[in-house]
Amino acid sequence: MNYLIGTDVGTSGAKSVLMSTEGKLIAQSLVEYDVLTPKNLWAEQLAHVWLEAAKQTIKQVIKKSDVNAADIKGIGISALYGGAGVPVDDKGNEVRPTLIWMDRRAEKQVAWVKDNIDLNRLSEITGNDVVDPYYGYTKMLWIKDNEPENWQRIKEFLPPDTFIVKNLTGVTAVNYSAAGNIGGVYDINQSTWSTEMLDALHIPRTMMPNKLVAANEIAGHITEKVAKELGLLPNTPVIVGGVDVGAANVGMGVLDPGRYVAAIGTSMNAALVSEKPIKNKGLIVWPYPYNSQNLTYNFSGSATAGGITKWFRDNFAQAELAEQKNGGQNAYVSLGEQAKNIPAGSNGLVVLPYFMGERAPIWNSDAKGLIFGLSLSHSKAHIYHAFQEAVAYALRHSIELTGQNLGDYIVIAGGVTNSSDWVQMFADVTGYAVRTPVEDAEANLGDVILAGLATKTLTLDQVKNWQVLGEKVLPNPERHATYNKYFELYKKLYTDLKDDMTLLTTIDNQL
């Protein structure tokens, strides 16, 4: 029997799975860590923490599975969108914490780009119509403008998956999807770095690693030192899987254009895979990890999705957390049970989920979270239910942005799928039938599939025959009709309060 390992280095933790080439999950391991938020709207993480967590989970699944190392035929590594990437010096050490996707500090750099760069040309080259602090190239400019000493020390910017793979194999290779998601410096038409845009942005070409690879080709091989540390054989093949939300789509069987998938974790990445970039919709566009030369990943989504329910739990569910700590049921499960009988619309509550500004579809760092409609009749359960609805409204907003019919169902993955009531809510709010993964290992499964294809231990036909999705959950027509009204109010609230949100940011910055 042959086996493969899939490792996803996410925003809140690193997870590895070990699977057979027949698609059976043998072992899994998770190591959690935190996001550093030294200032409002800043978000950083330490690359060496990612690396140690990835190593630990790989080591644990090998130990748990008790399989022969010779039977492990490959490892796939994907990771969160690391903004600019890990800034490393000439010895490969991180120069400073990585400014991850969530970080919104580069507003002045965005303004500079809008004033000094031909935006039509930027769109033609990169496929992206929006300039926003989300993109890695604006974060590079922030470091250049604000930390000149660090800028001088930086040799290269390595996407998180590239950083991990380099430390496992000694090879520096960047996946096309990770390169494209940096935005601004990648030519989506030529599948390479754009010298034209790098020159215009005054970013040295030498800071972009030379080797670009697809996720279904071997990037490097495990070194003897790392093999001994993890319990692998030296020269075990490794693939660099790129951005984990793309790998998650692969893990849900999306190997052809036309399918819409929402990966909902701390944030939400809702995407349509297409043959050509979808332009002029404010979507984030980059090459799909699988078949990167011919498929494009066009996504929208909230900066905070599951992140707002975690915030609610941590701040307002002390009793539920105490119960969980003492061996009781999970706090989220308890909150969900309290909220399950709350009607559509939460008895007149609407939450705007903009707790870290917002990227697509509104692209506004000044956007603020809001709980609208509170009265003395509302309970904690009502508010939690409204938080869940806010994530579903955000998904519907993203769906509308594609401007396309998405077929007979959409796919939703991530921690939200642990709640059947929440899955039903997504169907009711969007009006689409919903399918969810059979196993809670979407990006990891994608890593396994890509590693299998790269090492030829899996064929495309085998992968397409894996049963990765469950049955359809159909929308309730009555609740959908109610949600249509609330969704219009959801959009109107932001429009009405947009200027006030900017004013609040101005006041706060003056204090």
Side-chain angles (χ1 to χ4, degrees), residues 377-408:
S377 67
H378 290 116
S379 66
K380 179 166 65 177
H382 285 94
I383 302 173
Y384 184 72
H385 192 262
F387 269 63
Q388 291 180 304
E389 288 174 331
V391 181
Y393 294 144
L395 174 59
R396 179 167 171 178
H397 206 177
S398 295
I399 287 172
E400 288 188 350
L401 207 60
T402 65
Q404 300 187 31
N405 187 304
L406 304 181
D408 59 335

PDB file of all heavy atoms in Angstrom, residues 377-408:
ATOM      1  N   SER A 377     -35.448  42.682  24.054  1.00  0.00           N
ATOM      2  CA  SER A 377     -36.003  41.344  23.824  1.00  0.00           C
ATOM      3  C   SER A 377     -34.971  40.368  23.273  1.00  0.00           C
ATOM      4  O   SER A 377     -35.224  39.167  23.214  1.00  0.00           O
ATOM      5  CB  SER A 377     -37.183  41.427  22.848  1.00  0.00           C
ATOM      6  OG  SER A 377     -36.738  41.822  21.552  1.00  0.00           O
ATOM      7  N   HIS A 378     -33.815  40.877  22.861  1.00  0.00           N
ATOM      8  CA  HIS A 378     -32.812  40.008  22.261  1.00  0.00           C
ATOM      9  C   HIS A 378     -31.903  39.384  23.316  1.00  0.00           C
ATOM     10  O   HIS A 378     -31.542  40.026  24.302  1.00  0.00           O
ATOM     11  CB  HIS A 378     -31.961  40.790  21.256  1.00  0.00           C
ATOM     12  CG  HIS A 378     -32.713  41.175  20.017  1.00  0.00           C
ATOM     13  ND1 HIS A 378     -32.966  42.492  19.672  1.00  0.00           N
ATOM     14  CD2 HIS A 378     -33.291  40.409  19.064  1.00  0.00           C
ATOM     15  CE1 HIS A 378     -33.657  42.522  18.541  1.00  0.00           C
ATOM     16  NE2 HIS A 378     -33.867  41.271  18.160  1.00  0.00           N
ATOM     17  N   SER A 379     -31.549  38.133  23.064  1.00  0.00           N
ATOM     18  CA  SER A 379     -30.672  37.380  23.962  1.00  0.00           C
ATOM     19  C   SER A 379     -29.329  37.122  23.294  1.00  0.00           C
ATOM     20  O   SER A 379     -29.119  37.449  22.125  1.00  0.00           O
ATOM     21  CB  SER A 379     -31.326  36.033  24.300  1.00  0.00           C
ATOM     22  OG  SER A 379     -31.408  35.231  23.113  1.00  0.00           O
ATOM     23  N   LYS A 380     -28.440  36.494  24.039  1.00  0.00           N
ATOM     24  CA  LYS A 380     -27.150  36.092  23.479  1.00  0.00           C
ATOM     25  C   LYS A 380     -27.352  35.175  22.275  1.00  0.00           C
ATOM     26  O   LYS A 380     -26.619  35.280  21.275  1.00  0.00           O
ATOM     27  CB  LYS A 380     -26.320  35.396  24.552  1.00  0.00           C
ATOM     28  CG  LYS A 380     -24.951  34.906  24.076  1.00  0.00           C
ATOM     29  CD  LYS A 380     -24.051  34.528  25.216  1.00  0.00           C
ATOM     30  CE  LYS A 380     -24.570  33.325  25.991  1.00  0.00           C
ATOM     31  NZ  LYS A 380     -23.627  32.919  27.063  1.00  0.00           N
ATOM     32  N   ALA A 381     -28.354  34.313  22.346  1.00  0.00           N
ATOM     33  CA  ALA A 381     -28.622  33.386  21.241  1.00  0.00           C
ATOM     34  C   ALA A 381     -29.020  34.130  19.978  1.00  0.00           C
ATOM     35  O   ALA A 381     -28.604  33.760  18.866  1.00  0.00           O
ATOM     36  CB  ALA A 381     -29.723  32.402  21.642  1.00  0.00           C
ATOM     37  N   HIS A 382     -29.828  35.182  20.122  1.00  0.00           N
ATOM     38  CA  HIS A 382     -30.208  35.986  18.961  1.00  0.00           C
ATOM     39  C   HIS A 382     -28.970  36.584  18.295  1.00  0.00           C
ATOM     40  O   HIS A 382     -28.844  36.581  17.063  1.00  0.00           O
ATOM     41  CB  HIS A 382     -31.142  37.129  19.365  1.00  0.00           C
ATOM     42  CG  HIS A 382     -32.541  36.705  19.670  1.00  0.00           C
ATOM     43  ND1 HIS A 382     -32.962  36.427  20.945  1.00  0.00           N
ATOM     44  CD2 HIS A 382     -33.618  36.530  18.856  1.00  0.00           C
ATOM     45  CE1 HIS A 382     -34.242  36.105  20.916  1.00  0.00           C
ATOM     46  NE2 HIS A 382     -34.665  36.149  19.663  1.00  0.00           N
ATOM     47  N   ILE A 383     -28.076  37.129  19.112  1.00  0.00           N
ATOM     48  CA  ILE A 383     -26.904  37.812  18.554  1.00  0.00           C
ATOM     49  C   ILE A 383     -25.978  36.805  17.876  1.00  0.00           C
ATOM     50  O   ILE A 383     -25.463  37.058  16.779  1.00  0.00           O
ATOM     51  CB  ILE A 383     -26.165  38.592  19.657  1.00  0.00           C
ATOM     52  CG1 ILE A 383     -27.109  39.614  20.307  1.00  0.00           C
ATOM     53  CG2 ILE A 383     -24.937  39.302  19.086  1.00  0.00           C
ATOM     54  CD1 ILE A 383     -26.529  40.308  21.524  1.00  0.00           C
ATOM     55  N   TYR A 384     -25.777  35.646  18.494  1.00  0.00           N
ATOM     56  CA  TYR A 384     -24.928  34.633  17.865  1.00  0.00           C
ATOM     57  C   TYR A 384     -25.526  34.189  16.532  1.00  0.00           C
ATOM     58  O   TYR A 384     -24.815  34.037  15.529  1.00  0.00           O
ATOM     59  CB  TYR A 384     -24.751  33.434  18.793  1.00  0.00           C
ATOM     60  CG  TYR A 384     -23.808  32.390  18.226  1.00  0.00           C
ATOM     61  CD1 TYR A 384     -22.439  32.634  18.161  1.00  0.00           C
ATOM     62  CD2 TYR A 384     -24.280  31.175  17.735  1.00  0.00           C
ATOM     63  CE1 TYR A 384     -21.567  31.699  17.629  1.00  0.00           C
ATOM     64  CE2 TYR A 384     -23.416  30.227  17.198  1.00  0.00           C
ATOM     65  CZ  TYR A 384     -22.060  30.500  17.152  1.00  0.00           C
ATOM     66  OH  TYR A 384     -21.203  29.578  16.611  1.00  0.00           O
ATOM     67  N   HIS A 385     -26.844  34.003  16.510  1.00  0.00           N
ATOM     68  CA  HIS A 385     -27.534  33.619  15.272  1.00  0.00           C
ATOM     69  C   HIS A 385     -27.328  34.686  14.196  1.00  0.00           C
ATOM     70  O   HIS A 385     -27.086  34.370  13.022  1.00  0.00           O
ATOM     71  CB  HIS A 385     -29.027  33.431  15.572  1.00  0.00           C
ATOM     72  CG  HIS A 385     -29.805  32.776  14.475  1.00  0.00           C
ATOM     73  ND1 HIS A 385     -30.550  33.506  13.564  1.00  0.00           N
ATOM     74  CD2 HIS A 385     -29.969  31.475  14.139  1.00  0.00           C
ATOM     75  CE1 HIS A 385     -31.151  32.674  12.726  1.00  0.00           C
ATOM     76  NE2 HIS A 385     -30.814  31.433  13.048  1.00  0.00           N
ATOM     77  N   ALA A 386     -27.395  35.958  14.596  1.00  0.00           N
ATOM     78  CA  ALA A 386     -27.189  37.052  13.639  1.00  0.00           C
ATOM     79  C   ALA A 386     -25.743  37.080  13.136  1.00  0.00           C
ATOM     80  O   ALA A 386     -25.494  37.438  11.977  1.00  0.00           O
ATOM     81  CB  ALA A 386     -27.555  38.387  14.288  1.00  0.00           C
ATOM     82  N   PHE A 387     -24.790  36.705  13.994  1.00  0.00           N
ATOM     83  CA  PHE A 387     -23.399  36.598  13.548  1.00  0.00           C
ATOM     84  C   PHE A 387     -23.276  35.506  12.481  1.00  0.00           C
ATOM     85  O   PHE A 387     -22.585  35.677  11.469  1.00  0.00           O
ATOM     86  CB  PHE A 387     -22.479  36.291  14.733  1.00  0.00           C
ATOM     87  CG  PHE A 387     -21.923  37.512  15.409  1.00  0.00           C
ATOM     88  CD1 PHE A 387     -22.755  38.423  16.041  1.00  0.00           C
ATOM     89  CD2 PHE A 387     -20.565  37.761  15.414  1.00  0.00           C
ATOM     90  CE1 PHE A 387     -22.240  39.557  16.660  1.00  0.00           C
ATOM     91  CE2 PHE A 387     -20.037  38.894  16.024  1.00  0.00           C
ATOM     92  CZ  PHE A 387     -20.883  39.795  16.655  1.00  0.00           C
ATOM     93  N   GLN A 388     -23.920  34.371  12.685  1.00  0.00           N
ATOM     94  CA  GLN A 388     -23.898  33.310  11.683  1.00  0.00           C
ATOM     95  C   GLN A 388     -24.524  33.796  10.371  1.00  0.00           C
ATOM     96  O   GLN A 388     -23.992  33.536   9.280  1.00  0.00           O
ATOM     97  CB  GLN A 388     -24.660  32.090  12.202  1.00  0.00           C
ATOM     98  CG  GLN A 388     -23.980  31.370  13.357  1.00  0.00           C
ATOM     99  CD  GLN A 388     -24.796  30.175  13.817  1.00  0.00           C
ATOM    100  OE1 GLN A 388     -25.971  30.301  14.170  1.00  0.00           O
ATOM    101  NE2 GLN A 388     -24.182  29.005  13.807  1.00  0.00           N
ATOM    102  N   GLU A 389     -25.635  34.501  10.482  1.00  0.00           N
ATOM    103  CA  GLU A 389     -26.297  35.022   9.281  1.00  0.00           C
ATOM    104  C   GLU A 389     -25.404  36.010   8.541  1.00  0.00           C
ATOM    105  O   GLU A 389     -25.400  36.049   7.297  1.00  0.00           O
ATOM    106  CB  GLU A 389     -27.621  35.689   9.659  1.00  0.00           C
ATOM    107  CG  GLU A 389     -28.697  34.697  10.074  1.00  0.00           C
ATOM    108  CD  GLU A 389     -29.957  35.360  10.578  1.00  0.00           C
ATOM    109  OE1 GLU A 389     -29.874  36.482  11.127  1.00  0.00           O
ATOM    110  OE2 GLU A 389     -31.046  34.749  10.439  1.00  0.00           O
ATOM    111  N   ALA A 390     -24.628  36.802   9.265  1.00  0.00           N
ATOM    112  CA  ALA A 390     -23.747  37.782   8.624  1.00  0.00           C
ATOM    113  C   ALA A 390     -22.747  37.097   7.699  1.00  0.00           C
ATOM    114  O   ALA A 390     -22.444  37.602   6.603  1.00  0.00           O
ATOM    115  CB  ALA A 390     -23.009  38.596   9.689  1.00  0.00           C
ATOM    116  N   VAL A 391     -22.214  35.960   8.119  1.00  0.00           N
ATOM    117  CA  VAL A 391     -21.273  35.226   7.273  1.00  0.00           C
ATOM    118  C   VAL A 391     -21.985  34.722   6.016  1.00  0.00           C
ATOM    119  O   VAL A 391     -21.434  34.764   4.908  1.00  0.00           O
ATOM    120  CB  VAL A 391     -20.640  34.060   8.053  1.00  0.00           C
ATOM    121  CG1 VAL A 391     -19.634  33.316   7.174  1.00  0.00           C
ATOM    122  CG2 VAL A 391     -19.961  34.561   9.321  1.00  0.00           C
ATOM    123  N   ALA A 392     -23.241  34.279   6.183  1.00  0.00           N
ATOM    124  CA  ALA A 392     -24.009  33.810   5.025  1.00  0.00           C
ATOM    125  C   ALA A 392     -24.347  34.960   4.077  1.00  0.00           C
ATOM    126  O   ALA A 392     -24.314  34.809   2.853  1.00  0.00           O
ATOM    127  CB  ALA A 392     -25.281  33.113   5.501  1.00  0.00           C
ATOM    128  N   TYR A 393     -24.675  36.135   4.634  1.00  0.00           N
ATOM    129  CA  TYR A 393     -24.930  37.303   3.784  1.00  0.00           C
ATOM    130  C   TYR A 393     -23.673  37.668   2.995  1.00  0.00           C
ATOM    131  O   TYR A 393     -23.740  38.038   1.811  1.00  0.00           O
ATOM    132  CB  TYR A 393     -25.346  38.509   4.629  1.00  0.00           C
ATOM    133  CG  TYR A 393     -26.677  38.393   5.341  1.00  0.00           C
ATOM    134  CD1 TYR A 393     -26.861  38.944   6.609  1.00  0.00           C
ATOM    135  CD2 TYR A 393     -27.759  37.743   4.751  1.00  0.00           C
ATOM    136  CE1 TYR A 393     -28.067  38.857   7.276  1.00  0.00           C
ATOM    137  CE2 TYR A 393     -28.981  37.648   5.409  1.00  0.00           C
ATOM    138  CZ  TYR A 393     -29.122  38.210   6.669  1.00  0.00           C
ATOM    139  OH  TYR A 393     -30.327  38.124   7.331  1.00  0.00           O
ATOM    140  N   ALA A 394     -22.517  37.601   3.660  1.00  0.00           N
ATOM    141  CA  ALA A 394     -21.262  37.926   2.987  1.00  0.00           C
ATOM    142  C   ALA A 394     -21.018  36.965   1.824  1.00  0.00           C
ATOM    143  O   ALA A 394     -20.535  37.380   0.753  1.00  0.00           O
ATOM    144  CB  ALA A 394     -20.101  37.876   3.977  1.00  0.00           C
ATOM    145  N   LEU A 395     -21.351  35.688   2.016  1.00  0.00           N
ATOM    146  CA  LEU A 395     -21.209  34.733   0.926  1.00  0.00           C
ATOM    147  C   LEU A 395     -22.132  35.093  -0.235  1.00  0.00           C
ATOM    148  O   LEU A 395     -21.722  35.079  -1.400  1.00  0.00           O
ATOM    149  CB  LEU A 395     -21.502  33.315   1.416  1.00  0.00           C
ATOM    150  CG  LEU A 395     -21.512  32.240   0.318  1.00  0.00           C
ATOM    151  CD1 LEU A 395     -20.176  32.188  -0.410  1.00  0.00           C
ATOM    152  CD2 LEU A 395     -21.876  30.886   0.897  1.00  0.00           C
ATOM    153  N   ARG A 396     -23.368  35.425   0.073  1.00  0.00           N
ATOM    154  CA  ARG A 396     -24.304  35.791  -1.006  1.00  0.00           C
ATOM    155  C   ARG A 396     -23.803  37.026  -1.755  1.00  0.00           C
ATOM    156  O   ARG A 396     -23.910  37.100  -2.983  1.00  0.00           O
ATOM    157  CB  ARG A 396     -25.701  36.040  -0.434  1.00  0.00           C
ATOM    158  CG  ARG A 396     -26.714  36.445  -1.502  1.00  0.00           C
ATOM    159  CD  ARG A 396     -28.129  36.380  -1.002  1.00  0.00           C
ATOM    160  NE  ARG A 396     -29.053  36.972  -1.966  1.00  0.00           N
ATOM    161  CZ  ARG A 396     -30.365  37.015  -1.815  1.00  0.00           C
ATOM    162  NH1 ARG A 396     -30.930  36.481  -0.724  1.00  0.00           N
ATOM    163  NH2 ARG A 396     -31.137  37.574  -2.730  1.00  0.00           N
ATOM    164  N   HIS A 397     -23.257  37.985  -1.025  1.00  0.00           N
ATOM    165  CA  HIS A 397     -22.712  39.188  -1.650  1.00  0.00           C
ATOM    166  C   HIS A 397     -21.590  38.809  -2.624  1.00  0.00           C
ATOM    167  O   HIS A 397     -21.495  39.348  -3.738  1.00  0.00           O
ATOM    168  CB  HIS A 397     -22.188  40.127  -0.564  1.00  0.00           C
ATOM    169  CG  HIS A 397     -22.174  41.565  -0.967  1.00  0.00           C
ATOM    170  ND1 HIS A 397     -21.794  42.568  -0.100  1.00  0.00           N
ATOM    171  CD2 HIS A 397     -22.460  42.185  -2.139  1.00  0.00           C
ATOM    172  CE1 HIS A 397     -21.873  43.736  -0.720  1.00  0.00           C
ATOM    173  NE2 HIS A 397     -22.259  43.528  -1.953  1.00  0.00           N
ATOM    174  N   SER A 398     -20.752  37.872  -2.226  1.00  0.00           N
ATOM    175  CA  SER A 398     -19.668  37.412  -3.090  1.00  0.00           C
ATOM    176  C   SER A 398     -20.202  36.674  -4.310  1.00  0.00           C
ATOM    177  O   SER A 398     -19.685  36.838  -5.423  1.00  0.00           O
ATOM    178  CB  SER A 398     -18.732  36.490  -2.297  1.00  0.00           C
ATOM    179  OG  SER A 398     -18.093  37.188  -1.258  1.00  0.00           O
ATOM    180  N   ILE A 399     -21.213  35.855  -4.107  1.00  0.00           N
ATOM    181  CA  ILE A 399     -21.820  35.129  -5.227  1.00  0.00           C
ATOM    182  C   ILE A 399     -22.352  36.106  -6.271  1.00  0.00           C
ATOM    183  O   ILE A 399     -22.154  35.923  -7.482  1.00  0.00           O
ATOM    184  CB  ILE A 399     -22.943  34.205  -4.721  1.00  0.00           C
ATOM    185  CG1 ILE A 399     -22.344  32.991  -3.992  1.00  0.00           C
ATOM    186  CG2 ILE A 399     -23.836  33.742  -5.878  1.00  0.00           C
ATOM    187  CD1 ILE A 399     -23.364  32.121  -3.298  1.00  0.00           C
ATOM    188  N   GLU A 400     -23.028  37.152  -5.820  1.00  0.00           N
ATOM    189  CA  GLU A 400     -23.586  38.129  -6.748  1.00  0.00           C
ATOM    190  C   GLU A 400     -22.500  38.799  -7.582  1.00  0.00           C
ATOM    191  O   GLU A 400     -22.728  39.176  -8.736  1.00  0.00           O
ATOM    192  CB  GLU A 400     -24.375  39.198  -5.986  1.00  0.00           C
ATOM    193  CG  GLU A 400     -25.691  38.706  -5.416  1.00  0.00           C
ATOM    194  CD  GLU A 400     -26.531  39.831  -4.838  1.00  0.00           C
ATOM    195  OE1 GLU A 400     -26.011  40.960  -4.709  1.00  0.00           O
ATOM    196  OE2 GLU A 400     -27.710  39.582  -4.510  1.00  0.00           O
ATOM    197  N   LEU A 401     -21.306  38.914  -7.009  1.00  0.00           N
ATOM    198  CA  LEU A 401     -20.220  39.611  -7.675  1.00  0.00           C
ATOM    199  C   LEU A 401     -19.744  38.885  -8.929  1.00  0.00           C
ATOM    200  O   LEU A 401     -19.244  39.521  -9.864  1.00  0.00           O
ATOM    201  CB  LEU A 401     -19.052  39.789  -6.705  1.00  0.00           C
ATOM    202  CG  LEU A 401     -18.117  40.968  -6.934  1.00  0.00           C
ATOM    203  CD1 LEU A 401     -18.873  42.282  -6.846  1.00  0.00           C
ATOM    204  CD2 LEU A 401     -17.004  40.955  -5.899  1.00  0.00           C
ATOM    205  N   THR A 402     -19.872  37.570  -8.978  1.00  0.00           N
ATOM    206  CA  THR A 402     -19.398  36.827 -10.153  1.00  0.00           C
ATOM    207  C   THR A 402     -20.249  37.134 -11.380  1.00  0.00           C
ATOM    208  O   THR A 402     -19.777  37.026 -12.513  1.00  0.00           O
ATOM    209  CB  THR A 402     -19.430  35.312  -9.915  1.00  0.00           C
ATOM    210  OG1 THR A 402     -20.786  34.874  -9.758  1.00  0.00           O
ATOM    211  CG2 THR A 402     -18.626  34.940  -8.687  1.00  0.00           C
ATOM    212  N   GLY A 403     -21.522  37.476 -11.152  1.00  0.00           N
ATOM    213  CA  GLY A 403     -22.407  37.772 -12.269  1.00  0.00           C
ATOM    214  C   GLY A 403     -22.707  36.566 -13.135  1.00  0.00           C
ATOM    215  O   GLY A 403     -23.090  36.710 -14.295  1.00  0.00           O
ATOM    216  N   GLN A 404     -22.543  35.355 -12.591  1.00  0.00           N
ATOM    217  CA  GLN A 404     -22.750  34.152 -13.382  1.00  0.00           C
ATOM    218  C   GLN A 404     -23.647  33.163 -12.652  1.00  0.00           C
ATOM    219  O   GLN A 404     -23.717  33.141 -11.429  1.00  0.00           O
ATOM    220  CB  GLN A 404     -21.410  33.477 -13.688  1.00  0.00           C
ATOM    221  CG  GLN A 404     -20.458  34.366 -14.478  1.00  0.00           C
ATOM    222  CD  GLN A 404     -19.219  33.621 -14.918  1.00  0.00           C
ATOM    223  OE1 GLN A 404     -19.256  32.421 -15.154  1.00  0.00           O
ATOM    224  NE2 GLN A 404     -18.107  34.336 -15.049  1.00  0.00           N
ATOM    225  N   ASN A 405     -24.345  32.345 -13.447  1.00  0.00           N
ATOM    226  CA  ASN A 405     -25.127  31.249 -12.876  1.00  0.00           C
ATOM    227  C   ASN A 405     -24.157  30.170 -12.415  1.00  0.00           C
ATOM    228  O   ASN A 405     -23.273  29.752 -13.167  1.00  0.00           O
ATOM    229  CB  ASN A 405     -26.092  30.678 -13.926  1.00  0.00           C
ATOM    230  CG  ASN A 405     -27.037  29.645 -13.316  1.00  0.00           C
ATOM    231  OD1 ASN A 405     -26.596  28.673 -12.719  1.00  0.00           O
ATOM    232  ND2 ASN A 405     -28.315  29.871 -13.469  1.00  0.00           N
ATOM    233  N   LEU A 406     -24.338  29.701 -11.198  1.00  0.00           N
ATOM    234  CA  LEU A 406     -23.358  28.788 -10.605  1.00  0.00           C
ATOM    235  C   LEU A 406     -23.800  27.329 -10.628  1.00  0.00           C
ATOM    236  O   LEU A 406     -23.245  26.495  -9.921  1.00  0.00           O
ATOM    237  CB  LEU A 406     -23.057  29.236  -9.178  1.00  0.00           C
ATOM    238  CG  LEU A 406     -22.565  30.679  -9.039  1.00  0.00           C
ATOM    239  CD1 LEU A 406     -22.280  31.010  -7.586  1.00  0.00           C
ATOM    240  CD2 LEU A 406     -21.343  30.941  -9.902  1.00  0.00           C
ATOM    241  N   GLY A 407     -24.816  27.024 -11.426  1.00  0.00           N
ATOM    242  CA  GLY A 407     -25.230  25.633 -11.570  1.00  0.00           C
ATOM    243  C   GLY A 407     -26.211  25.192 -10.503  1.00  0.00           C
ATOM    244  O   GLY A 407     -26.879  26.001  -9.863  1.00  0.00           O
ATOM    245  N   ASP A 408     -26.303  23.889 -10.303  1.00  0.00           N
ATOM    246  CA  ASP A 408     -27.335  23.334  -9.430  1.00  0.00           C
ATOM    247  C   ASP A 408     -26.934  23.271  -7.966  1.00  0.00           C
ATOM    248  O   ASP A 408     -27.761  22.977  -7.105  1.00  0.00           O
ATOM    249  CB  ASP A 408     -27.752  21.939  -9.910  1.00  0.00           C
ATOM    250  CG  ASP A 408     -26.588  20.956  -9.934  1.00  0.00           C
ATOM    251  OD1 ASP A 408     -25.431  21.407 -10.049  1.00  0.00           O
ATOM    252  OD2 ASP A 408     -26.842  19.743  -9.855  1.00  0.00           O
TER     253      ASP A 408
END
